[in-house]
Amino acid sequence: MNYFGIIRPAMVTCLMLMLYLAIVVVSLITGPSGLDSQLLAVFSLSPGTGDSEMTNVIVTWLLLPRTLMALLCGAALGAAGVLIQGATRNPFASPATLGVNAGAMLAIVLGSVFLPQFTGQFPVVVAFSGAILTTILVFRLAQAISDSPVNLVLVGMAMTLSLGALSAGMLMFYENRLDGLYTWGAGNLSQFDYQPIQRSWPIIGMLTALALLFARRLDMIELGTEQAESLGVNVRRTVGLSLLIGVLLSSTVVSQVGMISFVGLIAPHIARGLGCRKVWLRLLVSTAVGALLLLVADVAARLIPLLISDSHYSFPAGVMTTVVGAPFMLFLLTQRKRVSALATTPGETGIRALFHLSPVTFLSALAFVFLLIFGFSLFGNLDLQWISLRWPRVLTAAFAGAALGVSGLVLQTLTRNPLSSPDVSGLTTTGVLFVVLGLVLFPGLGSFEMTLLSIMGSGFALLLLLGLSRLTGFNPLLFALAGLCLSAMAATLISMVLVLGSNQSSEVLVWLSGSTYAVTSERFYLLFISVLAVLPLLFAMWRRLDILQLGEYLPSLLGVRIQATVAILLVMVALLSAVSVAAVGGISFIGLMAPHICRVTGLSSHRHLIPATAMMGSILLVGSDWLSRTVIAPFEIPSGLLVSGAGGIYFILLLLSGKYIQRR
């Protein structure tokens, strides 16, 4: 008899039970009335004084329901992760990386604004509607590009960033109506009674039990689609129902506590590491691990502020799970055994031209459109005596748009993937994080200091991505996926910084959403000098960029030193992204849209693409800045929100139109 095979599961079970007991006790004593008194209250050892009665109330009505909710939501996310990974046969798939949570969150935000009564009574229905629509859209877009599992996650995380920007815009625009929803949306497990638990546990329990019925079929699907069908499994129905159950589980969690990211990614991997090969066993272990992970994250979110500043204010638990989960996903990308199958999957994509124009004609037309929009933006509805107030922001929008557009073009060329852009790669978002940290810690920073912080942030992201690229064999899709993870982590850390620096949050949020409102001539001159120095150098390298499009081996045969060239180009991209962030804040989608629009006209050589993309980026940002000032004048919408909305619609329509092609 194999006694080791019996002892090992028993030891793991005993260890998990002890961990559960320890973490539950720590959770119940981590509250506002002190560790000692709450520890006595937990074990009913305190005398019947007024203080002890208050402590009992805190433990019973605040800490206990919070602990139970953390266990329940963590279990649901662990089960959802197993179902989604099994259905997609993708180890990187989870409710967070496929946009499920972001879709549910946006639906809750929209429902709270336009259908508050219905959303209050049926939050699960509203969250599920947004989650299922997002899931269908993500799968449709991924299939429009290619069958690569990495592309599925890329589209999902890009959609997460897009929907997250829309949610942030709604939260800022309807600040009074959605008061408190910003912190809740980051994954806040605070509870004041047992009603959310009573509403959620029957749904989660029933769905988890139902998922066990599909475990056997998912085991067969892991062998391959053809093998599963030969064994009598209806693959399409099994995959669809598994995804449906996973989305329902995730939506239930989002409707009650907001967005909790990466628990559904980590728990299944830990279950696999514990030796769970069968799906039913992995499902059960993942629910237990997910519950433990989320409770640990929530305890850490309460303990860290207590240890640092002796404050009883806590971070949202979703912040802690992202801070841990994103590095965990980056770690997975460094494991060649886990990513080998994904790395060899043909995933290089391009964009098909809709029509062909001569480069001279297109560049001339772009120049005319740029001058027209620039003139309207600079002189429209303005007394010329106030021109000194407007020219810095209009010129800043023009140069920042050019910098972001060209940065996106270079990144898409280097990664050979049209989903790459400075914001998606994490360069812009990390620069934003460093600037937000500086603004919160040192209010009143000057333009030069902000630019320096932004350069440091983008440079840090660049060094991290280059290091990961070496470990992953410089695979372009994995580079893009690592950038998305870094961007998600930076965005979460920004939320944490804003929560801590609440006194400066309103000022920082406007800049964070992307705006030229506070641009000064000093900030413009820094941007102008940087862009004027870097763009000519990039244009001088147009031949090398053309050659780098040929693949991995031909550039070396043609005498191009690939690693040195790529490093120089990435440094230029990081610098352009950094100075743009310092000037106009977090602007998304310019680096994604501008190269696409130029490529659909048939431009292929970077000799024409670089000036065309620079002008197109300027047109997009100057036009957005103009609209932000005129749509609801005299009020102003941050131009970054307009760009995000337009970029999301463009992104969806372009992919649905089938203009992406697979290069083999």
Side-chain angles (χ1 to χ4, degrees):
M1 180 180 293
N2 185 4
Y3 291 102
F4 181 76
I6 299 175
I7 294 174
R8 183 180 177 184
M11 291 177 61
V12 171
T13 303
C14 291
L15 180 61
M16 288 195 67
L17 288 175
M18 288 190 292
L19 283 174
Y20 262 99
L21 180 62
I23 296 300
V24 167
V25 170
V26 173
S27 178
L28 293 178
I29 67 175
T30 307
S33 60
L35 299 179
D36 296 336
S37 59
Q38 286 167 181
L39 182 61
L40 294 174
V42 169
F43 294 102
S44 302
L45 297 176
S46 57
T49 63
D51 291 340
S52 67
E53 290 179 2
M54 179 59 68
T55 301
N56 288 330
V57 170
I58 290 173
V59 172
T60 304
W61 294 100
L62 294 181
L63 299 179
L64 182 57
R66 180 171 186 154
T67 301
L68 294 176
M69 180 58 80
L71 293 171
L72 186 64
C73 292
L77 292 173
V82 172
L83 291 171
I84 292 174
Q85 289 181 13
T88 59
R89 289 190 294 164
N90 188 336
F92 296 105
S94 72
T97 57
L98 294 188
V100 177
N101 289 348
M105 177 64 191
L106 180 60
I108 290 290
V109 171
L110 293 174
S112 299
V113 173
F114 300 109
L115 297 171
Q117 294 183 348
F118 183 82
T119 303
Q121 293 179 356
F122 307 101
V124 177
V125 176
V126 175
F128 173 71
S129 301
I132 196 66
L133 288 175
T134 304
T135 303
I136 293 172
L137 184 60
V138 166
F139 274 84
R140 176 65 183 87
L141 298 181
Q143 290 173 359
I145 301 176
S146 72
D147 294 328
S148 169
V150 177
N151 265 330
L152 176 64
V153 179
L154 278 173
V155 173
M157 295 195 72
M159 192 63 64
T160 296
L161 294 176
S162 176
L163 298 182
L166 293 177
S167 297
M170 293 293 295
L171 289 171
M172 187 175 65
F173 199 74
Y174 294 95
E175 182 179 2
N176 295 328
R177 195 180 303 183
L178 299 175
D179 184 33
L181 202 60
Y182 186 83
T183 303
W184 174 86
N188 192 357
L189 290 168
S190 298
Q191 303 294 317
F192 304 101
D193 53 41
Y194 293 89
Q195 289 186 5
I197 299 172
Q198 293 171 354
R199 288 195 302 262
S200 304
W201 79 260
I203 300 174
I204 293 173
M206 180 186 66
L207 291 174
T208 304
L210 187 61
L212 290 171
L213 300 177
F214 295 94
R216 177 72 174 170
R217 300 176 190 177
L218 288 175
D219 278 329
M220 297 179 184
I221 290 177
E222 286 185 351
L223 301 175
T225 303
E226 295 180 358
Q227 291 87 338
E229 289 178 346
S230 65
L231 293 172
V233 176
N234 189 326
V235 174
R236 186 172 183 178
R237 180 187 302 173
T238 302
V239 168
L241 290 175
S242 299
L243 287 173
L244 182 64
I245 295 172
V247 170
L248 274 170
L249 287 168
S250 305
S251 305
T252 304
V253 173
V254 173
S255 67
Q256 301 302 321
V257 299
M259 286 181 61
I260 304 289
S261 301
F262 290 103
V263 172
L265 174 73
I266 299 174
H269 283 281
I270 293 178
R272 283 184 181 273
L274 292 174
C276 302
R277 298 292 177 260
K278 298 292 184 180
V279 172
W280 71 267
L281 182 58
R282 194 157 66 245
L283 190 67
L284 293 177
V285 174
S286 289
T287 57
V289 171
L292 185 62
L293 285 174
L294 187 52
L295 184 57
V296 170
D298 185 51
V299 170
R302 284 179 276 160
L303 277 177
I304 291 176
L306 185 65
L307 297 174
I308 293 176
S309 59
D310 197 23
S311 170
H312 292 291
Y313 184 83
S314 63
F315 296 128
V319 170
M320 299 304 299
T321 59
T322 304
V323 169
V324 175
F328 180 82
M329 190 168 180
L330 293 175
F331 169 75
L332 291 179
L333 290 173
T334 65
Q335 306 301 300
R336 292 183 180 272
K337 184 183 295 185
R338 294 182 184 271
V339 303
S340 57
L342 301 181
T344 56
T345 304
E348 183 186 345
T349 56
I351 184 167
R352 183 183 293 113
L354 296 177
F355 49 88
H356 292 272
L357 292 175
S358 70
V360 175
T361 302
F362 182 65
L363 289 172
S364 301
L366 269 183
F368 174 77
V369 173
F370 169 73
L371 292 175
L372 187 66
I373 292 179
F374 184 84
F376 272 115
S377 181
L378 184 59
F379 301 109
N381 300 324
L382 180 70
D383 192 330
L384 291 181
Q385 65 178 337
W386 302 107
I387 194 69
S388 61
L389 298 177
R390 182 173 289 183
W391 74 260
R393 65 182 300 177
V394 176
L395 286 174
T396 298
F399 278 87
L404 291 171
V406 174
S407 298
L409 171 68
V410 175
L411 281 175
Q412 290 175 16
T413 299
L414 295 180
T415 62
R416 298 191 298 280
N417 193 306
L419 295 178
S420 296
S421 67
D423 52 312
V424 174
S425 67
L427 298 179
T428 300
T429 316
T430 311
V432 169
L433 171 62
F434 275 59
V435 175
V436 168
L437 275 170
L439 289 174
V440 170
L441 296 176
F442 308 101
L445 284 178
S447 300
F448 178 77
E449 290 84 358
M450 290 176 61
T451 303
L452 186 62
L453 284 172
S454 183
I455 291 173
M456 290 171 59
S458 298
F460 171 76
L462 178 62
L463 291 174
L464 184 59
L465 290 175
L466 287 175
L468 289 169
S469 295
R470 289 179 62 88
L471 295 175
T472 57
F474 292 94
N475 182 274
L477 286 181
L478 297 183
F479 176 89
L481 188 56
L484 282 169
C485 295
L486 185 60
S487 184
M489 184 168 59
T492 302
L493 291 174
I494 289 170
S495 301
M496 182 189 296
V497 173
L498 289 176
V499 170
L500 289 176
S502 56
N503 294 333
Q504 294 83 23
S505 292
S506 57
E507 176 188 352
V508 173
L509 270 175
V510 176
W511 176 84
L512 185 62
S513 60
S515 175
T516 60
Y517 179 76
V519 167
T520 61
S521 57
E522 180 186 358
R523 196 178 298 180
F524 162 71
Y525 288 132
L526 286 172
L527 175 68
F528 172 75
I529 293 171
S530 302
V531 173
L532 204 63
V534 175
L535 281 187
L537 294 176
L538 270 175
F539 184 76
M541 300 180 70
W542 67 266
R543 287 188 177 87
R544 298 187 183 185
L545 285 166
D546 284 346
I547 294 173
L548 287 174
Q549 294 183 114
L550 300 177
E552 299 179 5
Y553 305 109
L554 286 178
S556 298
L557 297 177
L558 294 174
V560 176
R561 298 176 59 185
I562 296 179
Q563 292 189 5
T565 302
V566 169
I568 293 172
L569 289 170
L570 286 176
V571 168
M572 292 182 183
V573 167
L575 181 60
L576 289 175
S577 303
V579 295
S580 301
V581 165
V584 297
I587 299 286
S588 302
F589 285 108
I590 294 290
L592 183 72
M593 288 191 293
H596 287 188
I597 297 172
C598 294
R599 288 187 187 275
V600 298
T601 63
L603 297 184
S604 57
S605 173
H606 287 80
R607 179 182 181 183
H608 308 120
L609 279 171
I610 290 175
T613 304
M615 282 191 287
M616 182 58 67
S618 296
I619 290 170
L620 290 173
L621 193 49
V622 171
S624 297
D625 181 64
W626 175 45
L627 289 174
S628 71
R629 289 185 272 111
T630 57
V631 170
I632 57 172
F635 302 101
E636 184 169 331
I637 305 171
S639 52
L641 297 182
L642 288 178
V643 174
S644 295
I649 295 171
Y650 168 83
F651 184 68
I652 293 170
L653 292 178
L654 181 64
L655 289 174
L656 287 178
S657 66
K659 300 307 175 186
Y660 276 96
I661 58 173
Q662 179 80 29
R663 293 177 184 156
R664 300 182 183 276

